[in-house]
Amino acid sequence: MSGRRDADGPSEEAEASGGEVTAAGPGDGVLAGAVRAKDPAQTDDGAAGAWRRREHPARDPEVDPAHDPAVGAAERRFRRQAAVVLAVLAAVILAVAAFSTPWRVLAAGPPDPARDFTAAEIARAQAFDAATSLPSYLGLALTLAFAALLVATPFGAKVLGRLKGPWWLRVVLGVLVLTAIVEAVRWPLGVWFETLLRDYGLSTQDWAGWTADRLKSLGVEAFLLCLMLLVLVGLARRVRRWWIPAAVGACALTVVMSFLYPVVFEPLFNDFTSMPQGSLRDNLLDMAERDGVPVQDVLVADASRRTTALNAYVSGFGATRRIVVYDTLLKAPQPQVELVVAHELGHAEADDVLYGTLVGALGAALGAVLLFVVFGAVRRRAGVTSIADPRAVGVVMGLMTLGSLIMGPAQNVISRHVEARADVHALDLTRDPATFIAMQKRLAITNISDLSPDPVEYVLYASHPSSPERIALARSWAELNGVPVP
Ligand SMILES: [Zn+2]
């Protein structure tokens, strides 16, 4: 998410992948069987829909434009306009990403895990990676399969065609029903992943805590989806060129969510306290001042009630910007904690969260326009003629999932460069590559990071350079800056 820059924990990605990557699955057989009896293509708004059709034929949100030549011509014109806007937006995003990404921070030597990690540490990382790969890839495959099912078949329209009530209620219920189906398949994979985390000593949660966390994440996800889809379907029912306000709305929602994320969503999952008075706090605030980054406070999250992993991050921007360290990190030697915070100051100074949010907001706008363009191509297969139809919730959710899966690797490429820049910032600020390397080793060993991710994992999941890459960067920095190479 663009609202947050994780500092250092590849294993937090692994942890998150239990929830995020292991996502969806094909619909459950009982439900699919139950809806087959009735053809939802026949269900509509009933009398109310018919009335609208007579009174306002050109504005009927659920009329199939392909069946009305005048509406069809207008639709084609709108689609051409949308395609032009789409091309312009894509060019702007590419240009912003190309110019704001620090492509060449510092040329680092080749990574060499064997130089800094013992054979046992490497073997443990490989074993953990092998064990978690299966649920991760299975989750990814199920996510893709479910999204494809929603986009390329009338499954979603059929399930949602069973729902009754006003359109807004059917949108809300549609989101809840599809989220529940996805989660029914995701849940066992999540349990599997959590069991592995416990086997390897990374999780400190019991099942009650794990379940509560998972339900809260689901609640947030479903709430945001409902909000987006209510606005989208509502716009499509009123405005022919709904993609214009939808793009503006998606843009605004991304900025608002990223701004509110630290104060609205993070407290749902963790308690945050000011770092206690003492030499660590003084040193961190001194360092921030030296760095020219205004920081009033460093917050400590009670992550230890969930995990043993180490991490820190910057989230929010402007008035909500904050630097957070996990309480698990505070057991590390003080100079190592300072190095982690120095990395976070690098994010703060470069306004990485704000830039990420702006690129994300443009991406969200592009997504809204793309939805308008692509929907015409998939609506027949998906069995829904218009976004104004609440049954379109399924195909929209499927397209959103596919869109975010496709964009993931591009986001990772940018993220890895941004992370490398924050690492160089930490080295410039502390001029202490030896502690930097010690800290990287601690992070990698504690979080059981993948020390040599294969190309597929790297492309799909690596938001940070690998630990050996970060260590190689520190050595190159030392050579360049005339500091003894650790
Ligand atoms: Zn970072």
Side-chain angles (χ1 to χ4, degrees):
M1 163 155 195
S2 53
R4 165 169 162 167
R5 287 230 59 93
D6 265 343
D8 304 292
S11 133
E12 197 187 52
E13 264 90 63
E15 197 188 347
S17 73
E20 279 168 27
V21 181
T22 57
D28 93 44
V30 179
L31 189 51
V35 296
R36 212 167 287 132
K38 188 180 176 189
D39 182 6
Q42 305 301 320
T43 64
D44 204 337
D45 269 353
W51 176 83
R52 261 207 317 278
R53 201 154 300 154
R54 281 194 303 276
E55 295 299 311
H56 307 285
R59 304 209 38 159
D60 184 340
E62 293 186 21
V63 74
D64 184 350
H67 295 160
D68 181 333
V71 176
E75 186 95 343
R76 278 193 296 279
R77 195 173 72 246
F78 295 158
R79 200 159 291 141
R80 276 197 302 277
Q81 294 170 347
V84 171
V85 172
L86 194 65
V88 171
L89 262 176
V92 169
I93 291 172
L94 280 176
V96 170
F99 287 111
S100 69
T101 304
W103 295 110
R104 281 188 67 81
V105 178
L106 193 154
D112 180 10
R115 182 166 169 188
D116 297 284
F117 297 92
T118 66
E121 286 161 354
I122 293 172
R124 182 162 178 261
Q126 282 172 342
F128 181 68
D129 177 47
T132 50
S133 281
L134 193 53
S136 292
Y137 284 129
L138 209 52
L140 184 62
L142 287 170
T143 302
L144 266 173
F146 192 66
L149 191 72
L150 290 174
V151 170
T153 79
F155 172 81
K158 285 189 175 176
V159 172
L160 302 184
R162 311 269 299 175
L163 301 171
K164 298 277 182 286
W167 70 267
W168 53 267
L169 183 64
R170 284 187 284 153
V171 168
V172 171
L173 292 175
V175 169
L176 295 180
V177 165
L178 292 178
T179 303
I181 294 174
V182 170
E183 192 53 25
V185 183
R186 243 162 83 146
W187 197 274
L189 289 172
V191 170
W192 182 0
F193 203 93
E194 172 66 12
T195 307
L196 289 170
L197 292 181
R198 291 182 191 184
D199 289 350
Y200 280 84
L202 272 173
S203 172
T204 54
Q205 268 186 315
D206 58 15
W207 286 112
W210 181 85
T211 304
D213 266 3
R214 188 135 180 133
L215 291 178
K216 276 189 277 185
S217 302
L218 263 180
V220 170
E221 195 183 311
F223 168 77
L224 291 175
L225 266 174
C226 281
L227 188 68
M228 282 189 275
L229 282 156
L230 280 171
V231 171
L232 183 70
V233 175
L235 283 172
R237 294 176 78 84
R238 278 165 187 78
V239 191
R240 294 278 294 281
R241 278 181 285 187
W242 54 261
W243 53 273
I244 299 171
V248 174
C251 209
L253 184 71
T254 305
V255 174
V256 170
M257 281 303 145
S258 180
F259 182 76
L260 292 182
Y261 187 73
V263 285
V264 174
F265 297 106
E266 286 180 21
L268 294 174
F269 298 93
N270 279 102
D271 289 332
F272 297 89
T273 48
S274 287
M275 183 171 279
Q277 302 293 334
S279 64
L280 176 61
R281 181 193 168 89
D282 293 344
N283 287 345
L284 294 180
L285 295 183
D286 280 354
M287 184 170 67
E289 202 176 313
R290 231 177 29 229
D291 200 18
V293 180
V295 173
Q296 278 82 44
D297 202 359
V298 175
L299 296 178
V300 179
D302 62 342
S304 59
R305 66 191 183 83
R306 184 176 299 122
T307 181
T308 56
L310 310 174
N311 207 352
Y313 62 87
V314 180
S315 62
F317 54 86
T320 65
R321 185 174 76 188
R322 51 184 50 195
I323 294 181
V324 176
V325 298
Y326 278 20
D327 56 355
T328 46
L329 188 67
L330 298 181
K331 292 183 207 116
Q334 193 164 315
Q336 292 186 24
V337 181
E338 287 174 25
L339 248 152
V340 171
V341 172
H343 169 102
E344 302 311 327
L345 290 172
H347 286 311
E349 189 172 62
D351 272 328
D352 288 335
V353 173
L354 184 58
Y355 275 103
T357 300
L358 293 178
V359 174
L362 288 172
L366 181 128
V369 184
L370 191 61
L371 176 65
F372 180 82
V373 174
V374 169
F375 183 74
V378 299
R379 64 181 168 197
R380 273 185 216 299
R381 283 176 181 280
V384 189
T385 53
S386 161
I387 297 282
D389 182 342
R391 290 178 301 142
V393 161
V395 61
V396 174
M397 280 171 68
L399 287 170
M400 283 169 71
T401 303
L402 292 179
S404 60
L405 283 176
I406 291 167
M407 289 316 295
Q411 288 171 338
N412 284 338
V413 168
I414 294 175
S415 175
R416 288 193 296 265
H417 285 91
V418 167
E419 294 300 335
R421 174 170 63 191
D423 277 348
V424 169
H425 182 92
L427 289 161
D428 286 341
L429 185 58
T430 60
R431 300 191 63 80
D432 188 358
T435 302
F436 181 96
I437 291 174
M439 183 268 290
Q440 285 299 331
K441 286 175 67 176
R442 175 184 293 272
L443 283 173
I445 292 165
T446 310
N447 297 358
I448 325 182
S449 306
D450 194 350
L451 298 175
S452 38
D454 66 53
V456 176
E457 289 172 323
Y458 201 68
V459 166
L460 288 179
Y461 302 125
S463 62
H464 290 61
S466 71
S467 301
E469 283 178 320
R470 299 174 83 172
I471 290 172
L473 178 95
R475 293 206 167 99
S476 298
W477 182 94
E479 271 167 35
L480 259 168
N481 288 274
V483 175
V485 177

